[in-house]
Amino acid sequence: MKPFVINRYGRLVFPANFLGDLDFSVLGTLDQFAAVIGRDFEAKAPTGTDILARVESGAYPGRFELLRDLGQNLYWVNRYAITMFDKRPTRWRDLAKHRDDVFLPVLTPWEDSERKVAAVERAFRALPATWDADTENRVFDLLFDLFRTKLHHATELPAVKPTVAEFLAQPGALTFVMPAYDPDYPVFRTEDIIDAHESVPELEALMRWAMVLHNQYPWDRSRTELRAAAGIGDDDFVVAFYPRHRDVLAFIDRVKSSGRAGSGQDAPPGRKPVKPVEAVEAVEAVEAVAPATPYPPVRVREAFAIQPKFEALAIARGEHVCDNADVIRNASFSWSPMSASEISAKTGIEQRRYTSREPEQLALHAARAALAKSGRSAADIGAVLVSTCTSNRQIPSIACWLSGELGLLQTHASIDMVAACAGLPYGMAEAVRQLQEVSRPVLLVCVEKFSDKIGSVRTSRMIFGDGAAAMVIGPARAGEAGDVEVVQTYASGPHGEVNSIIWPNSEFDGDITVYGPEVKSLVQRYLVQMLDELKAQADPDNPERTLLESIELIIPHQANKTMILNLAGKAGLSADQLYFNVERMGNVSAASIPIAVYDAVRDGVITRPARIFAPGFGAGAVGGYAVMRIDPAIVADEVVLDIVEDAGRSAAAQSAGSTSDDIRAAFGG
């Protein structure tokens, strides 16, 4: 988990976006590691030669673009050190010479450095300020001090450094050497970096980059040089590299035992994530085939004796607002440039909601509010169903935990369902079936928490949010029409669509990953299928028209407004037929549809009982829909969560098992 924190200015900060820390427990081979490094550190980073060429051609319109290139270049230079090692200047006489967990970098002198350094300084001084000259100067001073004292090439750095003994066995190998070392050399504290506060979001991100990079060299760089072992005196200091934690050392041991430590290190950087070999083989070996016969939608009135009646709908949003400026304020060095307005244009999202609570706590707030609105007691509930794909809890499941917290001595069933963005139709279908067995109300909760599972992946950070919705679904009285008229669920598809959204994804450091083209493909496939099914069915109240013609409002899964509107237009739907709240909630996966239904009532879009079509589609590749009748009277007052903080930091850090000491260690200070 990679939680956000709240700094002393009340701003959201995502340490994973600028620390460069990786989870080595999920990396098995050097090739996997090279793919991650290639994508996160090399793909977007210019070399010193690239920067010189851009300077000389006048390619930089302002200072920001040059500063950004400098920052990305220096992260690339530190791609192995920042992810794998702590740097500790150590007197040569005191350095362990035979341990297998102490390493020395072997470095190649940087050619033509004077020309590149001078050209960068001249260009920066001549370029106009982009936003704020004072901030841009401060960032430049930090970054340029590193750039001008960089002694070595970065292109051919090996991932696995030689041990001290291996260094000594390489005549002529060069490493960092300095005549003295001040252990009190000033570095930025963890709090300083988290509390960076600039008026321009893009510059706040660059300031954090610069501070983190400064801390990579906690010594007097002007007095550092490259020397071979024969030129190192007993009282000289070298920069020893120690594995940051035991997972790094275990990875190095795996690589060395495979015989790959010295191979593949100078391979060209990977520009795209490398898919596992087994996945490639699956694509080649298995062709997706259509079912022998279609799966018909379930017409609830005709299929079931007990009709479902909505008794309550309650929601709990994440208590922290993360707007697009917050996303840019936390821009990772692995991202392409993007502004807050460009995020809005690309996704239709202006903000998303994050929570410091655990998913089950969000679910509990919504569930209690729904029970109160329905007037039901714990003894009335026959089953508890939870739709979620982001639970941190396996045993007991969220549903069982909720049952206990709500005081239910026994249920017929308390189960979690993983149906991702189709969580509402899957949950609705199961709730209808449970009603037939228990003849008493079912509690359906849809809940997600993505904010600590995103890491530094920009596409995911732009889209996902946190929230919960709970519905009490009871049996209708004899002869009374139910509120759920049709349910349908699907799963699977072509291999690429099934794996279009992955979490955890070892190729992305265990973070959730979205492969956009495949997602768009599955959404289009399912949306066409759903609309065809609605056109083929008669309105249960008026057989003279189709079910599609009877729909009064479409509330789709709130994935990406721009994408959904484009696809809906191709399917013959107009924008005024669809309701969105994604601009202020983001994509809350299983919880997105019920939260959007709630907001449609609160926004005055649903003012009387109305028939809605609620399609969902996402990872799996899952899909489904429900045709439901929503009465505004079922909507409970909104659960407003207090912002929960510990001593100056977000409770998220502790709830996800990350203390302030852990974050401080990750920064190296």
Side-chain angles (χ1 to χ4, degrees):
M1 301 300 152
K2 297 176 180 175
F4 62 86
V5 297
I6 306 298
N7 70 13
R8 69 188 181 96
Y9 298 101
R11 285 182 175 173
L12 291 162
V13 180
F14 316 138
N17 281 22
F18 45 85
L19 282 180
D21 197 17
L22 296 177
D23 181 1
F24 280 82
S25 68
V26 302
L27 295 172
T29 67
L30 196 59
D31 287 340
Q32 277 185 304
F33 182 45
V36 173
I37 292 296
R39 181 193 65 241
D40 287 353
F41 289 84
E42 294 176 319
K44 307 292 172 57
T47 65
T49 301
D50 293 332
I51 294 175
L52 177 62
R54 294 172 190 176
V55 164
E56 292 180 338
S57 67
Y60 291 113
R63 290 180 170 182
F64 170 71
E65 291 79 11
L66 176 56
L67 290 172
R68 203 174 189 286
D69 272 6
L70 278 177
Q72 289 188 314
N73 171 269
L74 291 166
Y75 265 105
W76 169 63
V77 169
N78 284 276
R79 59 194 180 275
Y80 300 126
I82 204 169
T83 54
M84 301 179 73
F85 300 104
D86 289 327
K87 299 175 180 178
R88 303 179 194 171
T90 307
R91 198 182 305 272
W92 182 247
R93 72 166 74 249
D94 299 327
L95 185 69
K97 306 297 194 296
H98 302 289
R99 283 173 50 176
D100 62 1
D101 63 344
V102 183
F103 304 87
L104 285 176
V106 173
L107 305 165
T108 303
W110 189 21
E111 299 171 354
D112 201 19
S113 60
E114 295 85 357
R115 179 184 171 209
K116 295 171 183 175
V117 167
V120 166
E121 184 170 23
R122 283 196 307 272
F124 181 80
R125 304 302 179 197
L127 286 169
T130 305
W131 291 295
D132 181 338
D134 175 65
T135 303
E136 290 164 24
N137 283 330
R138 287 186 287 119
V139 172
F140 180 76
D141 288 345
L142 287 169
L143 294 177
F144 186 68
D145 190 53
L146 302 178
F147 189 75
R148 70 180 176 84
T149 56
K150 182 169 72 74
L151 301 175
H152 61 90
H153 267 299
T155 306
E156 298 180 357
L157 291 176
V160 178
K161 313 300 181 186
T163 63
V164 179
E166 290 167 341
F167 170 79
L168 291 171
Q170 299 180 45
L174 304 177
T175 196
F176 288 124
V177 180
M178 63 195 80
Y181 167 64
D182 177 7
D184 290 324
Y185 187 86
V187 294
F188 294 102
R189 300 173 306 148
T190 302
E191 290 79 6
D192 297 330
I193 300 171
I194 288 176
D195 290 337
H197 185 79
E198 306 297 339
S199 58
V200 178
E202 287 85 349
L203 296 183
E204 185 170 310
L206 284 189
M207 182 60 77
R208 288 200 180 92
W209 295 10
M211 296 164 88
V212 170
L213 289 165
H214 170 86
N215 283 6
Q216 285 294 304
Y217 300 90
W219 58 80
D220 184 353
R221 296 177 288 276
S222 67
R223 303 186 65 192
T224 307
E225 56 187 73
L226 300 183
R227 288 191 212 162
I232 304 174
D234 281 350
D235 289 325
D236 288 328
F237 284 81
V238 297
V239 180
F241 281 32
Y242 289 79
R244 294 184 68 180
H245 42 72
R246 59 188 177 187
D247 284 342
V248 173
L249 185 58
F251 172 76
I252 292 172
D253 290 342
R254 288 195 296 274
V255 169
K256 286 190 168 186
S257 65
S258 72
R260 294 292 312 284
S263 64
Q265 294 168 359
D266 301 337
R271 299 299 179 183
K272 293 182 179 179
V274 177
K275 297 289 182 70
V277 172
E278 61 268 24
V280 175
E281 291 175 348
V283 171
E284 295 173 349
V286 178
E287 180 180 354
V289 296
T293 57
Y295 301 106
V298 178
R299 293 175 66 87
V300 176
R301 290 189 195 179
E302 302 160 14
F304 296 106
I306 298 175
Q307 296 300 298
K309 195 74 175 174
F310 295 143
E311 299 183 359
L313 167 62
I315 70 165
R317 307 178 205 268
E319 65 275 17
H320 298 285
V321 174
C322 174
D323 64 22
N324 291 344
D326 289 316
V327 174
I328 299 304
R329 203 171 274 121
N330 285 277
S332 169
F333 53 87
S334 64
W335 293 3
S336 299
M338 180 171 277
S339 67
S341 60
E342 287 170 333
I343 292 176
S344 178
K346 188 177 182 66
T347 66
I349 299 170
E350 299 286 346
Q351 64 180 45
R352 63 291 296 145
R353 302 294 288 264
Y354 290 164
T355 184
S356 298
R357 293 164 168 81
E358 289 299 299
E360 61 267 25
Q361 294 170 325
L362 271 186
L364 181 60
H365 286 294
R368 283 174 171 162
L371 285 179
K373 174 65 177 178
S374 70
R376 298 287 188 174
S377 70
D380 296 324
I381 301 301
V384 178
L385 310 176
V386 173
S387 283
T388 183
C389 62
T390 56
S391 173
N392 302 328
R393 173 183 293 279
Q394 298 299 315
I395 302 175
S397 66
I398 291 182
C400 286
W401 182 87
L402 275 180
S403 299
E405 293 297 310
L406 293 171
L408 281 65
L409 181 62
Q410 189 174 65
T411 65
H412 179 59
S414 293
I415 56 173
D416 288 2
M417 296 171 287
V418 180
C421 300
L424 187 278
Y426 268 75
M428 195 66 67
E430 182 59 27
V432 171
R433 287 189 284 266
Q434 288 288 334
L435 273 176
Q436 312 311 308
E437 298 178 12
V438 298
S439 300
R440 64 187 74 183
V442 173
L443 175 64
L444 171 62
V445 181
C446 300
V447 59
E448 304 288 9
K449 181 180 180 179
F450 284 98
S451 57
D452 60 350
K453 302 167 182 70
I454 296 172
S456 61
V457 180
R458 190 189 72 182
T459 50
S460 302
R461 180 63 69 185
M462 285 165 26
I463 293 172
F464 291 110
D466 306 340
M471 301 184 78
V472 176
I473 307 168
R477 292 188 293 269
E480 184 182 17
D483 289 327
V484 182
E485 299 179 330
V486 178
V487 288
Q488 174 67 296
T489 57
Y490 322 109
S492 200
H495 184 275
E497 292 182 12
V498 169
N499 294 281
S500 59
I501 305 174
I502 302 173
W503 178 70
N505 186 352
S506 62
E507 298 295 332
F508 277 77
D509 198 39
D511 300 327
I512 189 168
T513 313
V514 179
Y515 298 97
E518 289 83 357
V519 172
K520 184 176 180 180
S521 175
L522 78 87
V523 172
Q524 185 165 18
R525 174 169 65 91
Y526 278 144
L527 190 57
V528 169
Q529 183 175 353
M530 293 172 184
L531 294 177
D532 285 345
E533 290 179 357
L534 294 185
K535 292 174 185 175
Q537 297 179 69
D539 175 355
D541 296 321
N542 181 1
E544 298 301 317
R545 63 179 182 175
T546 68
L547 186 55
L548 181 60
E549 291 170 332
S550 76
I551 299 299
E552 297 172 84
L553 184 66
I554 300 172
I555 303 183
H557 162 54
Q558 308 287 299
N560 176 318
K561 185 176 182 178
T562 304
M563 178 186 72
I564 297 295
L565 283 174
N566 287 338
L567 294 177
K570 292 178 181 179
L573 301 175
S574 62
D576 60 3
Q577 293 177 273
L578 288 83
Y579 173 82
F580 291 94
N581 70 344
V582 68
E583 64 276 0
R584 58 185 184 269
M585 281 301 300
N587 178 344
V588 202
S589 193
S592 75
I593 292 175
I595 293 177
V597 170
Y598 184 99
D599 283 349
V601 172
R602 290 304 188 202
D603 289 347
V605 177
I606 300 176
T607 58
R608 55 174 178 75
R611 179 178 284 159
I612 70 166
F613 165 49
F617 19 68
V622 295
Y625 60 86
V627 176
M628 306 177 290
R629 190 170 295 278
I630 298 296
D631 186 337
I634 69 169
V635 170
D637 291 339
E638 181 165 345
V639 177
V640 179
L641 302 177
D642 293 331
I643 293 178
V644 180
E645 293 181 344
D646 61 10
R649 293 293 174 232
S650 167
Q654 296 183 351
S655 68
S658 177
T659 66
S660 58
D661 288 340
D662 295 328
I663 297 174
R664 184 174 292 106
F667 277 108

